């Protein structure tokens, strides 16, 4: 399995027509008329990405809330790239949220890039992930290039090391205390809360 997307999704003639008839601005992305197209994109990219997040490489869940279609170049900045399939990849919701709408292009463009030269972070279609980041013990991200470093910073991948370390510590605590920690976290700080809660719950099963 490649460490990049080798085959972008190919829109059918019917899907292209739906987009042409219903898309005017990037906020239209949330329209229900595009739901089936999104499901088809997700199904295709799950295979291309070996069902892993394009940024942290964690396995993606199969609930719709556990996978996002990531716009590598933010659609709010370049709305004409909203349905550009080379701009689409799958990410976990946490990475998508952390990356948010941070600008990723070095220079302004009119047409979508044909390679990753002008892209600050790892581009899921153009860059081989393993050339830019090493993952140690499934939670420590080590940059091998400037792109790797920028990707770690943009998506705050260092958060995953913290989650993993806390989870290991919590495994030593009794289940009753663990349950209380989960309850406390639900009412606590938002930062990394969902990731941590999920990890703790898995640890006490």
């Amino acid at each position: 399995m490649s460490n990049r997307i080798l085959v972008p999704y190919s829109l059918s003639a019917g899907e292209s027509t739906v987009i042409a008839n219903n898309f005017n601005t990037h906020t239209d992305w949330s329209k229900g008329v595009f739901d089936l197209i999104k499901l088809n994109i997700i199904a295709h990219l799950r295979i291309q990405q070996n069902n892993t997040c394009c940024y942290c490489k964690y396995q993606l869940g199969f609930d719709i809330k556990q996978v996002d279609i990531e716009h590598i170049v933010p659609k709010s900045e370049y709305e004409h790239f909203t349905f550009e399939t080379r701009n689409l990849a799958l990410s976990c919701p946490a990475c998508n949220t952390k990356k948010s709408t941070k600008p990723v292009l070095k220079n302004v463009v009119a047409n979508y890039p044909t390679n990753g030269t002008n892209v600050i972070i790892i581009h899921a279609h153009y860059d081989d992930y393993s050339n830019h980041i090493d993952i140690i013990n499934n939670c420590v991200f080590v940059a091998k290039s400037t792109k790797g470093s920028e990707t770690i910073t943009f998506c705050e991948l260092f958060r995953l090391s913290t989650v993993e370390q806390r989870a290991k510590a919590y495994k030593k605590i009794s289940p009753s205390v663990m349950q209380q920690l989960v309850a406390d976290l639900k009412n606590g700080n938002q930062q990394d809360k969902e990731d941590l809660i999920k990890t703790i719950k898995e640890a006490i099963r």
Side-chain angles (χ1 to χ4, degrees):
M1 178 61 63
S2 174
N3 276 315
R4 66 183 181 87
I5 297 169
L6 296 177
V7 182
Y9 182 73
S10 180
L11 294 166
S12 69
E15 289 172 333
S16 295
T17 299
V18 169
I19 293 168
N21 290 339
N22 295 278
F23 178 76
N24 294 297
T25 179
H26 72 276
T27 56
D28 291 337
W29 173 257
S30 60
K31 286 183 176 178
V33 70
F34 300 130
D35 286 351
L36 182 57
I37 297 175
K38 292 178 186 178
L39 289 176
N40 290 337
I41 291 170
I42 290 172
H44 174 83
L45 291 178
R46 280 190 191 276
I47 296 171
Q48 288 291 309
Q49 297 180 209
N50 198 27
N51 198 43
T52 59
C53 172
C54 63
Y55 297 123
C56 70
K57 295 301 178 181
Y58 274 36
Q59 286 288 316
L60 298 169
F62 284 88
D63 187 284
I64 194 64
K65 296 178 181 178
Q66 296 175 309
V67 59
D68 284 348
I69 299 178
E70 152 70 358
H71 289 82
I72 300 168
V73 177
K75 64 183 183 294
S76 59
E77 185 178 6
Y78 288 89
E79 58 187 10
H80 54 297
F81 295 158
T82 299
F83 282 96
E84 167 55 64
T85 57
R86 292 171 296 173
N87 193 43
L88 305 178
L90 299 185
S91 74
C92 65
C95 281
N96 193 16
T97 299
K98 295 295 184 183
K99 174 179 169 286
S100 188
T101 59
K102 299 181 182 83
V104 302
L105 296 179
K106 298 175 186 176
N107 302 299
V108 175
V109 298
N111 299 312
Y112 198 78
T114 56
N115 57 58
T117 304
N118 192 34
V119 186
I120 297 171
I121 63 172
I122 297 172
H123 192 295
H125 291 263
Y126 299 142
D127 298 314
D128 189 310
Y129 190 93
S130 61
N131 289 338
H132 301 280
I133 291 178
D134 277 337
I135 305 176
I136 301 172
N137 294 330
N138 294 317
C139 66
V140 179
F141 293 76
V142 180
K144 301 167 69 176
S145 69
T146 301
K147 274 196 173 192
S149 179
E150 292 290 354
T151 303
I152 291 169
T153 300
F154 271 50
C155 299
E156 298 183 22
L157 296 182
F158 44 80
R159 77 185 191 276
L160 297 169
S161 175
T162 302
V163 169
E164 188 76 11
Q165 290 167 359
R166 289 180 185 174
K168 287 179 181 177
Y170 290 148
K171 285 181 181 179
K172 301 176 182 178
I173 302 173
S174 67
S176 60
V177 175
M178 290 280 284
Q179 295 285 8
Q180 184 59 51
L181 283 171
V182 172
D184 290 343
L185 281 169
K186 285 181 179 178
N187 299 315
N189 195 313
Q190 279 294 107
Q191 186 175 2
D192 296 333
K193 183 176 67 175
E194 292 182 5
D195 285 342
L196 188 54
I197 289 173
K198 181 181 177 182
T199 305
I200 293 172
K201 283 182 177 178
E202 290 174 350
I204 63 175
R205 283 176 183 170

